[in-house]
Every structure is written in structure tokens, then in C-alpha cells.
Amino acid sequence: MHSQLQNEYLQQIYEHIQDGIIIMKESREIIMMNPAAQRLTGWQKGDFVPYCSYCMTRKREQSEPTCYLIANNEVPSFLSEMPIYHGRKIDVEMSTAAIYANENTGETEYLLVLRDQETLKKAQEAAINKKMIRALIEAKESEHKRLAQELHDGVGQSLFSVSIALQAIESFVQDNAQLNEYISEVRAELQKVMNDINAYSHQLRPHSLDQLGLEPTIQATIDAIKKQITGLDIQLTTRGLDRCDPAVEINLYRITQEALHNIIKYAKATQVHIHIKKDNTHIYMTIQDNGIGFERDKIQNAGLGLKHMEERVDQLGGTCSILSKVGQGTCIDIVIPRWRPQHD
């Protein structure tokens, strides 16, 4: 009974393992192969296993077998290109072992194991791309922070000094109505520039984000939008939200910025509800509107913004679900770990 169960386990492993397993004769005729080997190579039982690119081009002794692995039993595995169906070649890690000598023919049979390296390469490339995207986002935010600080502390303070100087000049020319009128015009223009500088600084990196946190900063953004746009009710509710990792705060703020921008520009919504919840393990954010909705594959500019949202969530190790139907509004659901994942 135990032997039967063991055989069933081995059969399950043979059927479901992702590595290609092939039993071949010394002539390289395939006797058996598992489903993974068939999917990987397209070969069938009775076909002959071709030699890999390395074996076909390597220098060898005249009496030495063409197959490098068979000729060098001490080599556990090596990488090469294996010709498969339709003239294609794939990168594989190969290993082989003599497992049986046929008593009737005296021919040795070999176990050949193929491990697909193309999937591994794609995974490695995806990991590198994620690191590059993360580095670009972090560099961009760092530059935004620097520019915002420069605008606020540098340009902003210089303009404030000019404003003080104008007040001093104004006190000396009280009897000159024409000059006073001109100074008032300059003062009004200066105030407009100072307001613009503050707005640009806030868009680049709100000081309140570093000083007060995510909730007050989002609320300030909502209040500013309400002053400019009528007919759009935006509500923010939170639960358990205190200070988070700085990377979490800036990315969730940018996502909120992008979502509100898209809603204002495209959605024709009258109501928006932003809810953020934080518990012991995760942070949850939902941004829902009652706008006209959209079909993701039919939008361009807003679609790029949505992709940027997803990239930011991905960098935080979270998930982002964007659901929308025409005429039924849009809902963005985000879940991220409470603490930012550590990366190599």
C-alpha cells in the first residue's frame, strides 16, 4: 500500500513539475517525456533529441561523445541553446544521468532534464524594470522636493523682501497719487506672483505632507479644488490613519492628485468619495466617483495616468484595482502593506 502511494506521488510530480523530463536512448530517441517537456520543446515520443548549440560547435576528441553532459558525467548541469520546433532555439539549463542499461540491446538510457531559462530571464528583466521605475519615481520626487523648497525658501522669500521694500517706498511718496497708484499695481502683481509661487511649490511637494501627514494634505487639496470648481462635492474620510512611511505618503498623495485631475477633466462627476483606512497590517484607499465612466482600452491620456498610479502602487508592494463602466462611474481600490517593502 505504501509503495503504491509512493508511486502515485512520483507520478503526480512527473506530470506537474515545471521542468521538462525526458527519458531517451543512447541514440537520443525519446522513450518517455512529461507534459512540461512537450510544452517546452514540441517534441513527441519517438522523436530524436537534437544536440544543443554548444555541443554542435565545441571542440572534442574524435572518440568523445558529441553530448557534453554524457561525455562529462561529473558536470551536474550547464546552460546552452536547444533547437526546438519550427527552427526556434531556447535557452535552457540541462542535466543528464545514465539511469538504465537495456539487458537485450546493451544500450544505456538517459534521463535528460530541461529547465526553461527564458522565463527566468523575463522575470529578471521585469525585476530590473521595476527597479528602474522605482529609481525614476524616487529621483523625480527628490527633485520635486528640492524645487519646492527652492521656490518656497528662495524665490518666495526674495519676493517677500521686495514686498517689504515696496511698503517702505510707499511711506515716502504718500503725496504722489500717481506714483502711489503705480506702486499699488506693482504690489497687486507681486502678490499674484507670490500666490502662483506658493501654488507651484504645493503642486511640486506640499510642505504639509512632510510636516503634518497625508490626511491634512489631501484635505487641503480638496479645499483648494472646491474654491475653484463648483458643483463637485469631494468628501474625505479616514480610519486609523496616522503618519506613514514617507514613500507611502507621497505616493498615495500623487495617486490622489492624479485621480482628482482625471475626475475634474474627464469624468463630469458631481460626487467623489475618498476613503483611507489603516490597520495593523495594511493601508486601504478607495477613490470613487459618480462620473460618466470609461472603457480602459479606449482612452489615452487618462490611461497613461492610470498606469502611473499602478506603477506607484506596485513600487509599494501593493495591489491596484481600477473598475469603471460607462455611465456608472469609476472606483479605484488600493491595498498596500503598512510598512514600505525593503528592496535590494
Side-chain angles (χ1 to χ4, degrees):
M1 185 68 179
H2 177 74
S3 177
Q4 181 182 353
L5 184 61
Q6 188 178 47
N7 288 337
E8 288 178 0
Y9 277 132
L10 290 174
Q11 183 65 30
Q12 289 291 317
I13 293 170
Y14 176 79
E15 292 288 339
H16 297 290
I17 194 170
Q18 295 303 304
D19 293 343
I21 298 175
I22 296 172
I23 309 296
M24 65 180 183
K25 297 179 180 178
E26 194 169 349
S27 63
R28 304 183 73 82
E29 180 184 351
I30 298 173
I31 303 171
M32 290 176 60
M33 64 191 310
N34 72 339
Q38 291 179 324
R39 289 193 300 270
L40 185 62
T41 65
W43 302 332
Q44 300 293 330
K45 180 180 176 181
D47 291 345
F48 287 82
V49 177
Y51 293 105
C52 71
S53 299
Y54 177 77
C55 291
M56 291 297 292
T57 57
R58 75 185 182 96
K59 293 182 180 180
R60 58 187 177 87
E61 300 294 331
Q62 187 172 2
S63 59
E64 184 182 354
T66 303
C67 179
Y68 177 72
L69 284 171
I70 291 177
N72 298 272
N73 289 326
E74 73 277 7
V75 180
S77 65
F78 82 115
L79 302 176
S80 186
E81 285 186 328
M82 176 64 78
I84 57 171
Y85 52 88
H86 304 313
R88 285 188 63 223
K89 293 181 179 179
I90 59 170
D91 293 318
V92 291
E93 177 185 353
M94 293 179 288
S95 61
T96 189
I99 59 171
Y100 178 70
N102 191 300
E103 294 179 356
N104 297 324
T105 64
E107 188 176 18
T108 303
E109 294 176 0
Y110 291 90
L111 168 68
L112 175 65
V113 179
L114 303 176
R115 176 167 292 172
D116 183 9
Q117 292 297 297
E118 289 191 344
T119 302
L120 178 61
K121 280 185 176 181
K122 289 177 181 177
Q124 290 172 338
E125 289 173 0
I128 291 171
N129 287 338
K130 285 180 68 174
K131 286 185 177 180
M132 289 177 62
I133 291 170
R134 183 175 71 250
L136 287 172
I137 289 174
E138 290 174 352
K140 181 179 177 182
E141 292 301 340
S142 177
E143 183 65 6
H144 280 181
K145 187 175 183 178
R146 185 189 69 80
L147 289 173
Q149 196 73 31
E150 180 62 28
L151 283 173
H152 184 268
D153 296 343
V155 180
Q157 292 302 318
S158 295
L159 291 174
F160 181 72
S161 298
V162 173
S163 176
I164 297 299
L166 277 176
Q167 283 183 339
I169 293 171
E170 198 172 22
S171 66
F172 286 104
V173 293
Q174 293 178 355
D175 297 333
N176 191 325
Q178 186 176 0
L179 188 55
N180 273 324
E181 183 180 353
Y182 177 68
I183 290 175
S184 295
E185 291 175 0
V186 172
R187 182 188 294 281
E189 187 63 27
L190 180 61
Q191 187 60 52
K192 181 177 179 300
V193 173
M194 292 174 69
N195 291 339
D196 288 343
I197 291 294
N198 287 332
Y200 296 148
S201 176
H202 183 83
Q203 289 174 8
L204 283 169
R205 174 96 177 194
H207 295 284
S208 60
L209 191 64
D210 298 314
Q211 296 168 358
L212 303 175
L214 186 61
E215 182 175 357
T217 304
I218 292 178
Q219 188 60 59
T221 300
I222 292 171
D223 293 342
I225 291 173
K226 286 181 176 180
K227 289 178 182 178
Q228 299 173 17
I229 299 173
T230 58
L232 179 60
D233 180 35
I234 308 174
Q235 298 295 327
L236 171 66
T237 60
T238 66
R239 182 178 172 187
L241 183 63
D242 50 13
R243 296 307 303 264
C244 307
D245 184 281
V248 171
E249 290 186 337
I250 186 60
N251 279 289
L252 289 183
Y253 174 72
R254 294 298 186 208
I255 289 167
T256 304
Q257 259 189 324
E258 182 65 38
L260 291 174
H261 169 78
N262 288 341
I263 290 168
I264 293 167
K265 191 169 184 179
Y266 304 108
K268 300 180 182 178
T270 59
Q271 292 182 337
V272 181
H273 184 206
I274 303 170
H275 181 69
I276 307 173
K277 174 188 170 185
K278 180 180 177 185
D279 61 21
N280 291 331
T281 58
H282 291 83
I283 299 173
Y284 308 84
M285 172 183 269
T286 301
I287 305 173
Q288 189 165 12
D289 69 70
N290 67 343
I292 61 175
F294 60 86
E295 294 180 41
R296 180 90 183 252
D297 58 348
K298 293 184 179 179
I299 59 175
Q300 295 180 350
N301 294 336
L304 186 61
L306 297 177
K307 183 164 180 60
H308 289 165
M309 290 185 201
E310 292 169 335
E311 288 173 350
R312 286 182 178 275
V313 173
D314 186 57
Q315 296 311 308
L316 297 171
T319 59
C320 179
S321 172
I322 301 174
L323 302 175
S324 185
K325 289 185 178 181
V326 175
Q328 298 184 30
T330 301
C331 183
I332 301 171
D333 276 317
I334 293 166
V335 181
I336 61 172
R338 177 169 175 171
W339 304 113
R340 186 187 182 197
Q342 297 298 313
H343 301 278
D344 296 333

